Every structure is written in structure tokens, then in C-alpha cells.
Amino acid sequence: MFVQVNAAGGVPVYDQIARQVTFAVANGALAPGDLAPSVRELAKELAVNPNTVARAYRELQRQEVVETAPGIGLVIRSGARRVCQTLRRNLLRERVQTVLRETLDAGLDADEVRSLLETELSKLSQSYRRPGESA
Amino acid sequence: MFVQVNAAGGVPVYDQIARQVTFAVANGALAPGDLAPSVRELAKELAVNPNTVARAYRELQRQEVVETAPGIGLVIRSGARRVCQTLRRNLLRERVQTVLRETLDAGLDADEVRSLLETELSKLSQSYRRPGESA
Amino acid sequence: MFVQVNAAGGVPVYDQIARQVTFAVANGALAPGDLAPSVRELAKELAVNPNTVARAYRELQRQEVVETAPGIGLVIRSGARRVCQTLRRNLLRERVQTVLRETLDAGLDADEVRSLLETELSKLSQSYRRPGESA
Amino acid sequence: MFVQVNAAGGVPVYDQIARQVTFAVANGALAPGDLAPSVRELAKELAVNPNTVARAYRELQRQEVVETAPGIGLVIRSGARRVCQTLRRNLLRERVQTVLRETLDAGLDADEVRSLLETELSKLSQSYRRPGESA
DNA sequence: GTGGTCTAGACCACC
DNA sequence: GTGGTCTAGACCACG
């Protein structure tokens, strides 16, 4: 499955779930018309309270990513891919801005920041050549 | 003064204070032997409860950045500069890693991440050429 | 319950609570995976402000004894037993060294110290054969 | 000089001074009729606020260890030696009891405590064969 | 004047 | 229900 949660770290579980579903749609791993995993199934798999999964889906519904198909479940909406790509772009941009602001607030200049970023990026990007491959 | 807090944003105020003092020591704006701004004074200046400032200082004390001189105030410890530089480096590295991991998890490849970072960095770094100048 | 506080004596209440929980984990009275007594419950039982208990738990969290399970409570971490045994050993050793140094600074020689310790220990140890029995 | 203070460690400075003078009298290093070091002189030597030294002497006066000899200074009173030996005994006994209670509260049994004490005592007592010799 | 501790009570997010 | 944060204000010891 494409979703995994990390209870520690302060990030709300429902948020992690919603975000990962959004990313999956943006990537095409979930396509419009597909059924999203059921609340019970996903809750069981993640060892998480069903309420938590339900809340994640509620967010996705509000953002027009999924819709309920009565008697069937939750399906990915037709316009979801574009929506999710936008959500993803805005989310990432905001996160990037925050962390860049932090480095500049700390007193580093732009080139020190660039070198820090490149160092860490080259370290990390190796493990991500084929994301999920080893998971 | 070198510290300012932002009530919104979810980051605890006591954390913002502690971090900014740490950065000030790392930068040399506060030197070992100096008295840190008093709890009451800083609380008044930031329009924040003294307990919140006290909590920030408690963290700094635990990290061996300041020590209490009873009846005098809080003084920057002798080894503080190195400690703060280490703290700053580790903090920034961890934040950078987190956000990079997020972008890669979202399905971007390394070059897309590079371009995103460079775009945002060049936008931001202009305002930081002389930090505080326009504030 | 395994914790009781003594308002007099100068020892901070939050410290007494943290120490006693540490000892309980070291003894096995609290095992990894267990839920620590809730902040509100413990505060009520000890007739102490919830903030004070929260502060004690904050210390324990910093020492990696407990971790917060959001919406659930505080759980004893997996490595906690070893950590607490180490904390206990270091704490006691330091306290013993301090008091021994005091006696030697006071001008007593080693044998005078031994006799003082044995006198007091035999007086006290009787009440502790079955700790809590007479309480 | 027989007095030295340690600002860190939480023990009030005035307390450290008073206690060390008490011990010096108990040992005979200061004898009845001797002049105690003047407030200014001692304050300067210890790099401490004169108020702090004054407070220490106030305590000693209250405990009938010293008395003011107008125009001369503070002298050790005639009965001081016995008084100081009693003070010392009570102080040490109380400190010893406290730490023993802590070890027993921590779950150690009497023999474990004995072994802990003996280990630390033999380590420490070596440096104290001739106290102050290397200072 | 300084910091440290504690109480009381509010509000938030999460489950 | 849970913990986390913050405010408001009191009291203490120290210098």
C-alpha cells in the first residue's frame, strides 16, 4: 500500500494520510474513477483509529479529491489529478519557503544555504531513485 | 532587540524565543559572560507572559547555553558559542532533510527539487541581504 | 499509587514526581508499553496543579522515558527500563558523593563517616523492609 | 583561606560561607577570641557581594558563633566550638538521613546501599587524607 | 532588582 | 477523553 504513518514526529496522523493520498493522485498512482481504500481496511492496515482515517477522507472530500459513491465507497473524482497537483505544489512551496526563511534567519547567506541544500539533496536523492521500491 | 515572535504559525512561542537566542549566540550577537535579557524585560517587550520566556530560558539552561547567577540574572556560558553553532547546524540540517524528504516523497525528482529550491531561494534572499533593514 | 509528594523540603514537586516515575520504571512497576497515569488523574490524586504534573512528564519525555501518543496519553517507551536504571544509578551516586564530600569537608575522617552512615542506615532500613507497609 | 564558594550547584552562597566558617570553628581552625575575616575583605576575596557575606555573618551571629566587638570586628565567641560541633553533627546527620532515604525509596536494599556508600567513600577519602593540602 | 515554582483556568488539536 | 500551550498572578529565595 502507498500509505504509511508515523505516530511520532508531531505531524497529525489524519494529515499524513490525507497528504499521501493527495500525492498518490498527483502521481497517477490513484486515477480518477478508482476506489479509495475503505476506511475500515485502511484503519486496520495502519493500526489506527477508524475515526482518524475518516477524518482524512473528510478533508479530501472537502478539497474535492474524492466523492462518495453511495453503496460503493469513495471514488477519486474526475478533476482530482489537477487539483492534487495544485495542492501538492502549494504545499511544497510553502514548506520550502518556511525552511529557507529559517536558514536565512539563522544568519546563513544564500550561498551557504545552497551548499547545505545540495549536500543534503544528493545524500537523500540516491535512496529515492525508484521510490517505494524497497518498501 | 534580536528576538521577535510570531503567535500564529503553530510554532510554540517559547520555542521561537529559545531558537532565536541560540542563533544570537551562534552569531556572536550575545557573547559568553553577557547577561541575557531578563525574563520580565523580554516578556514585556514581546508582549508575552513571563512564564513563556522563563520556559524558553529553561530549555537554554538545559542545553548549557545559559546559567543562572542567583539574584543577578542569566549569563551566557563560556562554551555557549560552540554549543549554539552546533545546535544551529543540527537544527537546520534536520529541517532541510525533512522538507527534502517531503518533496521526494511527493514524487518530484532531484532536478525538479533543485529548481523549486532555487526559485524560492532567489525570491527570499533579496529581503535578507541586510536582515532587519526593512523590518 | 506509587507516587507521593512532599510539599515542604524545598525539593520541587515536579521533580519529585518525575523521579518517582523514573524509579517505578526502573523497578518494573511501570513497564514499556504501559500508559503512564494521566496528567489530570495524577494531579487530582496528588492535589497538585495539572501544570505541575505536565512539567514532570515533560522532563521524562526529554529523557526518553515516555512519549506522547496523541489523543491517547503518555506511554512508557521501549528502552525506558534501561534508561531509568541508568538515571537512577547516576542520580544516587551523585547524591551520595555530594553528602560524603560534605562530611569529609566538615573534617570527619573516613571511619567517623562510616560509623555515622551505619548508625543512620540501620535506624532507617527497618522501616523500609517492606516499603509502604506502614504508610 | 578556608572558605571557597561555588556559585553553581544551587546552594546559596551565604549558606556556603556560614557553613564553612562553622566547620572551621568546629575543627579548631578558628578558635574563640579570633577575629573572623572582615566582610569587605572576604567579599573581595570571594568575588561576592558584601551583602552576601554580611548575611552569612548574620546567621552565625544568630547561632551564637560570632559576636560583634564594636570598633574591632567580629570575634569568635567563647562557647563557639561546642556550638559548632553540635551544628555540624546535626547538619550532617540530617543530610545523611535524606540521602539514605532516597536510596531506599529508589528500591535499593540496605546491603546495596552499604556497598554503594563504601565504593564512593573509598574513592573520595583518598583525596581527603590531608584536606586542603593540594588546594 | 533577579529567576524559580506553583496555582488557576483558558484554549487548542487529536483520537 | 488525552496532552500541549499560554496567560495571569502569587509567593519565595537570592543579591
Side-chain angles (χ1 to χ4, degrees):
Chain A
M1 181 63 63
F2 46 86
V3 182
Q4 46 187 349
V5 298
N6 174 6
V11 187
V13 174
Y14 77 89
D15 221 358
Q16 299 181 46
I17 297 171
R19 188 151 38 91
Q20 291 186 44
V21 173
T22 303
F23 289 173
V25 176
N27 293 333
L30 276 177
D34 286 358
L35 233 67
S38 87
V39 169
R40 289 174 198 160
E41 179 193 352
L42 192 50
K44 191 176 164 193
E45 183 182 324
L46 300 174
V48 146
N49 192 306
N51 283 333
T52 305
V53 178
R55 176 159 182 190
Y57 280 141
R58 220 181 310 137
E59 302 285 328
L60 292 169
Q61 221 165 340
R62 206 173 46 74
Q63 291 167 324
E64 316 199 328
V65 174
V66 299
E67 62 188 345
T68 82
I72 304 195
L74 287 160
V75 304
I76 312 298
R77 292 180 59 165
S78 62
R81 181 143 196 194
R82 243 192 40 148
V83 170
C84 286
Q85 286 173 338
T86 303
L87 287 171
R88 177 176 69 173
R89 191 180 59 240
N90 292 342
L91 176 71
L92 293 181
R93 191 162 50 199
E94 196 221 338
R95 306 284 284 115
V96 162
Q97 282 175 353
T98 302
V99 81
L100 290 179
R101 225 177 266 119
E102 277 184 350
T103 59
L104 295 168
D105 281 338
L108 274 60
D109 67 32
D111 282 333
E112 289 171 316
V113 175
R114 280 191 186 87
S115 121
L116 173 62
L117 291 169
E118 186 51 43
T119 305
E120 299 302 327
L121 179 56
S122 56
K123 270 200 294 187
L124 276 174
S125 61
Q126 307 213 355
S127 358
Y128 278 83
R129 283 214 203 109
R130 299 190 203 167
E133 178 185 59
S134 57
Chain B
M1 184 62 67
F2 45 85
V3 23
Q4 47 187 347
V5 298
N6 173 4
V11 186
V13 174
Y14 74 88
D15 227 345
Q16 300 181 44
I17 297 171
R19 190 151 33 92
Q20 291 186 44
V21 173
T22 302
F23 289 170
V25 176
N27 294 333
L30 277 177
D34 288 358
L35 246 65
S38 90
V39 170
R40 291 165 170 88
E41 177 193 352
L42 191 49
K44 192 176 163 192
E45 181 182 326
L46 300 175
V48 145
N49 190 287
N51 278 331
T52 304
V53 178
R55 181 164 176 188
Y57 279 141
R58 200 155 56 226
E59 304 284 329
L60 293 171
Q61 199 172 4
R62 197 178 48 74
Q63 291 168 322
E64 315 199 326
V65 173
V66 300
E67 66 187 343
T68 100
I72 307 280
L74 289 158
V75 308
I76 312 296
R77 293 180 60 166
S78 62
R81 179 139 197 199
R82 244 190 41 143
V83 169
C84 287
Q85 287 172 341
T86 303
L87 287 171
R88 181 177 64 173
R89 191 179 60 239
N90 292 342
L91 174 70
L92 293 181
R93 192 163 48 202
E94 200 221 336
R95 307 283 285 115
V96 163
Q97 282 176 356
T98 301
V99 82
L100 291 179
R101 226 178 265 119
E102 276 182 352
T103 59
L104 296 167
D105 280 338
L108 275 58
D109 67 31
D111 282 330
E112 289 171 316
V113 175
R114 279 192 187 87
S115 116
L116 172 61
L117 292 169
E118 186 51 43
T119 304
E120 299 302 328
L121 179 55
S122 55
K123 272 201 291 189
L124 275 174
S125 62
Q126 306 211 356
S127 357
Y128 279 83
R129 284 220 198 103
R130 299 191 202 164
E133 178 187 56
S134 58
Chain C
M1 184 63 65
F2 44 86
V3 22
Q4 47 186 346
V5 297
N6 173 3
V11 187
V13 174
Y14 74 87
D15 226 345
Q16 299 180 45
I17 296 172
R19 190 151 34 92
Q20 291 186 43
V21 172
T22 301
F23 289 171
V25 175
N27 293 334
L30 276 176
D34 287 359
L35 244 66
S38 89
V39 169
R40 291 165 170 88
E41 177 194 351
L42 191 50
K44 191 175 163 192
E45 183 182 325
L46 299 175
V48 145
N49 189 286
N51 278 331
T52 304
V53 178
R55 179 164 179 188
Y57 279 141
R58 201 156 54 226
E59 305 282 328
L60 294 171
Q61 198 173 4
R62 198 176 47 74
Q63 291 167 322
E64 315 199 327
V65 173
V66 299
E67 66 187 341
T68 100
I72 307 281
L74 289 157
V75 308
I76 313 295
R77 292 181 61 165
S78 62
R81 180 139 197 199
R82 244 191 40 145
V83 169
C84 286
Q85 286 173 339
T86 303
L87 286 171
R88 179 176 66 173
R89 191 180 60 240
N90 292 342
L91 175 70
L92 293 180
R93 191 164 48 200
E94 199 223 336
R95 306 285 284 117
V96 162
Q97 281 176 355
T98 301
V99 83
L100 291 179
R101 225 177 267 120
E102 277 183 351
T103 59
L104 296 167
D105 280 337
L108 274 59
D109 68 31
D111 282 332
E112 290 171 315
V113 176
R114 279 193 188 85
S115 118
L116 172 62
L117 292 169
E118 186 50 44
T119 305
E120 300 302 328
L121 180 55
S122 56
K123 272 200 292 187
L124 276 173
S125 61
Q126 306 214 356
S127 357
Y128 278 83
R129 282 220 200 104
R130 299 190 202 166
E133 179 186 58
S134 57
Chain D
M1 184 62 63
F2 47 86
V3 182
Q4 46 187 348
V5 298
N6 173 6
V11 187
V13 174
Y14 77 91
D15 221 359
Q16 298 182 47
I17 297 171
R19 187 151 38 92
Q20 291 186 46
V21 172
T22 303
F23 289 172
V25 175
N27 294 334
L30 277 177
D34 286 357
L35 232 67
S38 86
V39 168
R40 290 171 196 161
E41 177 193 355
L42 192 49
K44 190 176 163 192
E45 182 182 326
L46 300 175
V48 147
N49 192 307
N51 282 333
T52 306
V53 178
R55 175 158 180 190
Y57 279 141
R58 220 181 310 137
E59 301 285 326
L60 292 170
Q61 220 166 340
R62 205 173 45 76
Q63 291 167 324
E64 316 198 329
V65 174
V66 299
E67 62 188 346
T68 82
I72 303 193
L74 287 159
V75 304
I76 312 298
R77 292 179 61 163
S78 62
R81 180 143 197 194
R82 243 192 40 149
V83 170
C84 287
Q85 287 173 337
T86 302
L87 286 171
R88 178 176 69 174
R89 190 180 62 241
N90 292 343
L91 176 71
L92 293 181
R93 191 162 51 200
E94 196 222 339
R95 306 283 285 116
V96 161
Q97 282 175 353
T98 302
V99 80
L100 291 179
R101 227 177 264 118
E102 277 183 352
T103 60
L104 295 167
D105 282 338
L108 275 58
D109 68 31
D111 282 332
E112 289 171 316
V113 176
R114 280 191 186 88
S115 122
L116 172 62
L117 291 168
E118 185 51 42
T119 304
E120 299 302 327
L121 179 55
S122 57
K123 271 201 293 187
L124 276 173
S125 61
Q126 306 212 355
S127 359
Y128 278 83
R129 282 216 201 107
R130 299 191 202 167
E133 177 186 60
S134 58

